[in-house]
Amino acid sequence: MDMANVISVLVVLGLVWVVAFYQWSTVIWTTLIGVTLLAFTILGYLSPIALVILWVFYLAAALFANLHQLRRRYIVLPALKMLQKQLPAISSTESAAIEAGDTWWEKELFCGRPNWNKLFDIPRPTLSQEEEHFLNTHVEHLCSLINDWEIIFKERDLPKEIWDYLKKEKFFAMVIPKEYGGLGFSALAHSTVVTKIATRSISVAVTTMVPNSLGPGELLVRYGTDEQKNYYLPRLANGIDIPCFALTAPDAGSDAGAIPDTGIICRGQYDGKEIIGIRVSWDKRYITLAPVATLLGLAIHLYDPDHLLGKKTDIGITLCLIPTSHPGVEIGSRHYPMFNAFMNGPTRGKNVFIPMDWIIGGTSMAGQGWRMLMESLSIGRSISLPALSAACGKVAYRVTGAYSRVRKQFNTSIASFEGVEEALGYIAGYSYMLEACRIMTAGAVDQDINPSIVSAIAKYHMTEMCRHVVSKAMDIHAGQMVQVGPRNLFANAYLAVPISITVEGANILTRNLIIFGQGAIRCHPFILKEIELISSPDPNIEELDRMLMSHIGFYISNILRNIAYGITGGKFIFSSSKNKRIRKYKQQLTRMSAALALLADTSLILLGGSLKRRERLSARLGDIMSQLYLASTVLKYYYDHNKPSSDINLVCWSMQECLYKIQIACNELLNNFPYRWIGKFLRWIIFPLGTAYLSPRDQLHHSIVEQMLVPSELRDRITRYCYLNSNDNNLMTRLDKALIHIETIDPLQKKIRKAIQSGAIAHSLEFSECIHAAKQVGILSAEEACMLVEFEKLRSEIIKVNEFSFDFDAVIA
């Protein structure tokens, strides 16, 4: 009887666990558990104590779940009044930011139950034949025209030939539809064009990307009136107009909602007539292309004190288009962003009168500027800065890998030293992740998704990975890349990295406020709707009750799922992958997705509106979400390329790196959780067996570096769209040539070293003399000696640095 009692209790508890785990409906779980309890009661399998306890808990839960009217009257209504008092006010700018854009795969990750097949079923992003042709012809030719040393350190501007070519071939019109004379390219093509140019010159890439991201072109396509589109878009497409967009002001950088620049609706003279227009005053800085722009996009705060448009005085943030030839517009002076040569500078105007129809989208779009900016920024963040970051990864992977194989110290390739190998491993792993994230994120835009949260993740983490990659490459090349000159491929990228970190939402702001702050509300299955209901002047109690009950079920389910996953290590999570290594990582990502759902919900429930002021906690939750997304992009890339065996080690390294960073974020979050006992309790639930994830193992690190050091399909694929100059004087070309021959040359060099050690060749001879002596004594054939001589010339050219005349007027070497 005791055994029957224990088994019966376990059966009931197991049933409760199952229905809560899978969130079965109220009708199903109350019926199923009630019938089971009744059966055990009739059969006498339960002891009186167990019977009373189980029935009391069951009846309390069943009555709470099923007596809707009583619950709404005595629980939901009082709770509503309390929540209305505690819920922080959401400003119009915050509301616009929350509502801007779409949710996508990140919502699956946030909710704790990612359907991996859903990710892999997303069509693979591809370029059209027209886009491939443009890359292979026009972009290739553009890159051949570029001399980055001349552009940055001599001209400090793009030469006229390049400006003219960019305009003629419509590089500034990739986002403009064909019916207006533009190229009408996909987001992936836009990204890839910028990537390829950036492998040659950051300055030219930035000049190309800005008109195609946040600027008049994008804004006109999305919001412009037909009249504005028909006039301006063909001019932008043909290069007649050069656009810029002015957002940042001295006292309003990242806080674009606090724009101090104003527009006052009033009457004034325009074209000889009195009209209703706007008297605009502004002081903007850091505006790319402003010094040469002919068309100025401008963000202002619009007011209507005389109510010429209606009853409202404070209209809100508004976007305007102003020809820079218009009286009162000041442009021309320049900033000098980290020695880069792309045009960047201030623009100002004082009491400049413009017509109302210069508002982008016309008068009806007055006050809609913040939403327009948020939506357009997310597009730009999905394409431009990720493209620059991926380009740096490609150059570092191709150049630094080959250089490490060719460069020797102590008669050993420097790639063989573990310190160098560690740095190379991060270059290899991050370059793979950068390309995966670039393609998947741009692909989202091509599905007509406006990925506001994903774009923030990509912007922050890709620019940070780029910073890491370029720094590691500089460490390995050492003195060679410290000396600036035509031979230096990294100095300009190294200087440009802080610019990417700063623009389009500074990285500190993006990590601490945007990723989780926006993601939590948009991605959570219930919170946004709950906030709307609670904030409503006439809340729908029935709907609020339904949302709260669903939220409670969601939270309980996540607690139980985390307990199960923690105890089992996630080993029994279903995964359809045939590869055991990949299947394991998909299971662990699902486990951490469930952990994110629990941690986010707990933080939101306990901390409420104060969470947005606790930026470090918000940042760590955002880190978990971000690493889940980055890992997803790697898996997507791997599956889209038909799961090549050559990629397995890179995929595994990426998974381990992302999971390790998730572990760090969880540790820091739980160690610093405001309620310490809650932090300890959550740690026990999520990591009952202690630390679950470590950084990538040394052997795995070694394996992904080995793949960098030899010519292969993988190396060519990771560095695809890296501009490869056919000029034999180019460092990248020389390194590629040396890498092809190094396997043949190594045994010949070993022959000479052995001959020197044995005394067959004198120690005092220079290497060229050693080659001749080896040929003389028969150690090397004439052909082998010739190969070594040619390779030594090539190696010598590879390790050279530039020399200049004393006044720097001439390059000597």
Side-chain angles (χ1 to χ4, degrees):
M1 193 66 179
D2 288 341
M3 182 57 69
N5 181 61
V6 171
I7 293 172
S8 299
V9 170
L10 291 175
V11 168
V12 174
L13 293 177
L15 190 57
V16 171
W17 187 289
V18 170
V19 298
F21 190 98
Y22 291 106
Q23 288 183 264
W24 288 354
S25 69
T26 301
V27 173
I28 292 176
W29 73 257
T30 51
T31 302
L32 194 59
I33 296 175
V35 168
T36 303
L37 267 178
L38 184 61
F40 285 163
T41 302
I42 293 171
L43 294 171
Y45 288 169
L46 291 168
S47 68
I49 295 175
L51 197 65
V52 170
I53 293 173
L54 291 174
W55 272 109
V56 166
F57 276 101
Y58 166 72
L59 289 172
L63 290 172
F64 175 78
N66 289 282
L67 296 180
H68 308 295
Q69 296 300 327
L70 290 174
R71 183 178 67 243
R72 290 165 189 163
R73 181 175 179 181
Y74 293 105
I75 297 177
V76 176
L77 268 175
L80 173 62
K81 294 176 182 178
M82 180 184 69
L83 290 169
Q84 285 175 329
K85 293 179 182 178
Q86 293 182 349
L87 187 69
I90 298 178
S91 68
S92 58
T93 53
E94 286 178 318
S95 179
I98 290 169
E99 293 170 4
D102 307 307
T103 56
W104 186 48
W105 173 249
E106 73 276 20
K107 186 163 186 173
E108 287 272 326
L109 297 171
F110 193 93
C111 292
R113 296 172 181 258
N115 181 348
W116 295 104
N117 289 331
K118 183 177 178 180
L119 174 67
F120 303 141
D121 287 341
I122 296 171
R124 174 183 172 179
T126 55
L127 299 173
S128 67
Q129 288 185 347
E130 180 187 6
E131 292 165 346
E132 286 278 13
H133 177 75
F134 187 85
L135 280 158
N136 294 332
T137 53
H138 298 309
V139 181
E140 188 77 12
H141 181 65
L142 172 65
C143 290
S144 71
L145 298 176
I146 295 171
N147 182 327
D148 210 32
W149 167 255
E150 296 281 342
I151 288 172
I152 289 183
F153 292 99
K154 290 194 173 182
E155 302 298 326
R156 297 178 185 174
D157 186 10
L158 277 57
K160 185 177 184 301
E161 181 184 17
I162 290 179
W163 274 111
D164 290 344
Y165 191 76
L166 289 170
K167 295 175 186 178
K168 176 189 171 186
E169 299 303 337
K170 304 186 178 183
F171 278 81
F172 297 153
M174 287 187 280
V175 301
I176 296 176
K178 290 182 179 179
E179 61 259 38
Y180 297 105
L183 296 176
F185 278 178
S186 65
L188 181 63
H190 175 188
S191 168
T192 307
V193 168
V194 173
T195 297
K196 185 164 185 173
I197 299 171
T199 65
R200 187 70 166 151
S201 168
I202 298 292
S203 291
V204 180
V206 171
T207 302
T208 303
M209 80 188 193
V210 166
N212 291 289
S213 53
L214 177 59
E218 174 75 21
L219 292 165
L220 283 168
V221 170
R222 294 171 68 88
Y223 309 107
T225 64
D226 289 340
E227 184 180 359
Q228 290 170 341
K229 290 178 181 179
N230 291 330
Y231 179 75
Y232 282 116
L233 289 179
R235 293 173 62 86
L236 291 168
N238 293 320
I240 297 171
D241 276 325
I242 298 295
C244 71
F245 188 83
L247 175 61
T248 304
D251 292 318
S254 297
D255 183 13
I259 291 173
D261 309 288
T262 59
I264 307 297
I265 298 174
C266 61
R267 296 184 183 277
Q269 292 291 321
Y270 176 74
D271 203 18
K273 299 177 183 177
E274 183 180 279
I275 62 170
I276 296 175
I278 310 170
R279 195 166 301 283
V280 186
S281 296
W282 72 92
D283 180 7
K284 304 286 191 180
R285 63 181 181 181
Y286 311 151
I287 311 306
T288 299
L289 296 185
V292 295
T294 61
L295 183 62
L296 170 66
L298 186 65
I300 58 170
H301 200 123
L302 186 63
Y303 297 92
D304 185 10
D306 297 328
H307 302 117
L308 297 175
L309 292 187
K311 296 180 179 179
K312 198 172 181 181
T313 300
D314 186 346
I315 304 298
I317 296 171
T318 301
L319 310 184
C320 304
L321 280 180
I322 306 176
T324 56
S325 58
H326 188 65
V329 177
E330 297 178 27
I331 62 165
S333 59
R334 292 179 64 177
H335 299 311
Y336 200 9
M338 298 300 289
F339 300 100
N340 276 263
F342 60 86
M343 288 291 165
N344 185 274
T347 174
R348 300 178 182 91
K350 185 71 173 177
N351 293 324
V352 178
F353 186 77
I354 65 173
M356 291 295 296
D357 58 10
W358 286 10
I359 295 174
I360 298 178
T363 307
S364 63
M365 294 302 288
Q368 300 298 311
W370 182 245
R371 177 177 62 84
M372 295 160 67
L373 286 172
M374 289 300 98
E375 292 176 351
S376 297
L377 272 171
S378 67
I379 297 293
R381 283 193 298 239
S382 301
I383 299 169
S384 303
L385 296 174
L388 296 182
S389 300
C392 291
K394 289 174 183 291
V395 174
Y397 189 99
R398 194 168 191 98
V399 170
T400 308
Y403 177 81
S404 302
R405 180 73 177 83
V406 173
R407 186 79 166 96
K408 292 190 175 183
Q409 291 286 295
F410 310 109
N411 290 322
T412 303
S413 166
I414 65 171
S416 300
F417 295 99
E418 289 195 353
V420 174
E421 183 181 88
E422 182 179 8
L424 285 171
Y426 284 108
I427 292 174
Y430 286 157
S431 296
Y432 190 80
M433 292 172 69
L434 284 167
E435 180 68 350
C437 191
R438 178 187 77 87
I439 293 173
M440 180 166 153
T441 307
V445 178
D446 285 329
Q447 295 178 59
D448 293 324
I449 294 166
N450 189 345
S452 56
I453 301 160
V454 159
S455 68
I457 292 172
K459 189 274 173 182
Y460 172 75
H461 288 278
M462 290 186 72
T463 54
E464 290 294 341
M465 281 192 282
C466 171
R467 170 156 49 184
H468 203 68
V469 164
V470 173
S471 294
K472 293 296 183 185
M474 291 288 288
D475 288 348
I476 292 170
H477 287 272
Q480 185 193 39
M481 293 301 164
V482 169
Q483 306 300 330
V484 296
R487 293 175 179 269
N488 193 319
L489 296 183
F490 287 107
N492 296 338
Y494 186 78
L495 289 169
V497 165
I499 303 172
S500 296
I501 299 293
T502 301
V503 300
E504 293 191 16
N507 276 11
I508 291 175
L509 166 81
T510 301
R511 176 175 178 256
N512 286 271
L513 296 178
I514 295 178
I515 294 175
F516 183 77
Q518 191 174 358
I521 296 177
R522 289 302 307 276
C523 294
H524 196 285
F526 308 111
I527 279 184
L528 181 57
K529 185 66 177 176
E530 289 169 347
I531 290 174
E532 291 172 351
L533 288 167
I534 293 168
S535 304
S536 171
D538 185 22
N540 185 327
I541 300 300
E542 184 177 338
E543 179 66 10
L544 178 60
D545 173 64
R546 189 182 68 80
M547 296 302 297
L548 290 173
M549 288 300 294
S550 298
H551 195 161
I552 291 169
F554 176 75
Y555 186 69
I556 293 172
S557 173
N558 280 325
I559 290 175
L560 297 178
R561 291 171 66 239
N562 274 280
I563 292 172
Y565 295 164
I567 293 172
T568 62
K571 294 179 181 179
F572 299 105
I573 298 172
F574 175 76
S575 174
S576 58
S577 179
K578 294 181 181 178
N579 186 297
K580 290 182 179 179
R581 295 171 75 185
I582 302 300
R583 181 167 65 244
K584 177 182 73 173
Y585 292 121
K586 285 165 67 177
Q587 290 172 330
Q588 295 309 311
L589 293 175
T590 299
R591 176 186 173 187
M592 287 300 99
S593 174
L596 171 62
L598 177 61
L599 290 169
D601 237 347
T602 303
S603 299
L604 290 164
I605 291 168
L606 294 179
L607 303 177
S610 68
L611 182 58
K612 68 180 181 181
R613 295 190 298 274
R614 298 177 184 269
E615 295 176 23
R616 289 173 178 163
L617 295 184
S618 177
R620 289 155 186 159
L621 288 164
D623 288 344
I624 300 170
M625 186 176 181
S626 298
Q627 295 302 324
L628 287 169
Y629 177 73
L630 293 174
S632 299
T633 67
V634 170
L635 289 175
K636 174 66 173 164
Y637 180 90
Y638 171 68
Y639 273 75
D640 279 352
H641 287 81
N642 299 316
K643 298 176 276 190
S645 58
S646 60
D647 291 34
I648 287 290
N649 288 329
L650 278 163
V651 174
C652 292
W653 187 94
S654 302
M655 296 300 106
Q656 288 186 19
E657 178 73 3
C658 290
L659 288 167
Y660 174 59
K661 288 185 175 178
I662 289 173
Q663 180 76 64
I664 292 173
C666 287
N667 288 345
E668 292 179 349
L669 174 69
L670 297 174
N671 287 341
N672 293 280
F673 203 79
Y675 305 100
R676 296 192 65 182
W677 68 272
I678 294 289
K680 291 179 179 179
F681 178 67
L682 289 171
R683 184 187 298 280
W684 177 85
I685 289 176
I686 299 169
F687 301 113
L689 305 180
T691 298
Y693 310 114
L694 302 173
S695 60
R697 296 179 63 85
D698 290 348
Q699 183 56 44
L700 185 57
H701 220 76
H702 172 75
S703 67
I704 66 172
V705 170
E706 281 188 320
Q707 295 174 301
M708 296 176 72
L709 308 179
V710 293
S712 67
E713 181 276 335
L714 175 65
R715 179 173 181 265
D716 289 340
R717 175 156 43 84
I718 292 175
T719 61
R720 189 182 182 194
Y721 303 116
C722 198
Y723 176 67
L724 304 177
N725 195 331
S726 57
N727 184 349
D728 285 342
N729 294 326
N730 178 270
L731 176 60
M732 198 178 300
T733 305
R734 287 169 172 155
L735 282 166
D736 280 352
K737 186 176 179 180
L739 197 64
I740 292 170
H741 295 294
I742 193 73
E743 292 295 329
T744 305
I745 294 298
D746 269 350
L748 304 183
Q749 291 176 334
K750 286 180 180 177
K751 285 184 180 181
I752 291 179
R753 287 198 297 272
K754 286 183 179 179
I756 293 173
Q757 290 170 357
S758 66
I761 298 175
H763 284 79
S764 59
L765 298 178
E766 293 185 359
F767 191 71
S768 59
E769 295 171 329
C770 288
I771 295 173
H772 179 73
K775 185 176 74 170
Q776 291 294 107
V777 298
I779 295 172
L780 294 177
S781 67
E783 182 182 359
E784 289 173 333
C786 183
M787 288 172 60
L788 264 179
V789 168
E790 290 301 314
F791 186 84
E792 184 59 21
K793 289 179 183 178
L794 179 62
R795 188 196 66 81
S796 178
E797 285 297 320
I798 286 171
I799 65 174
K800 270 186 181 178
V801 297
N802 282 117
E803 298 175 20
F804 300 89
S805 60
F806 186 79
D807 57 6
F808 289 103
D809 278 350
V811 179
I812 297 173

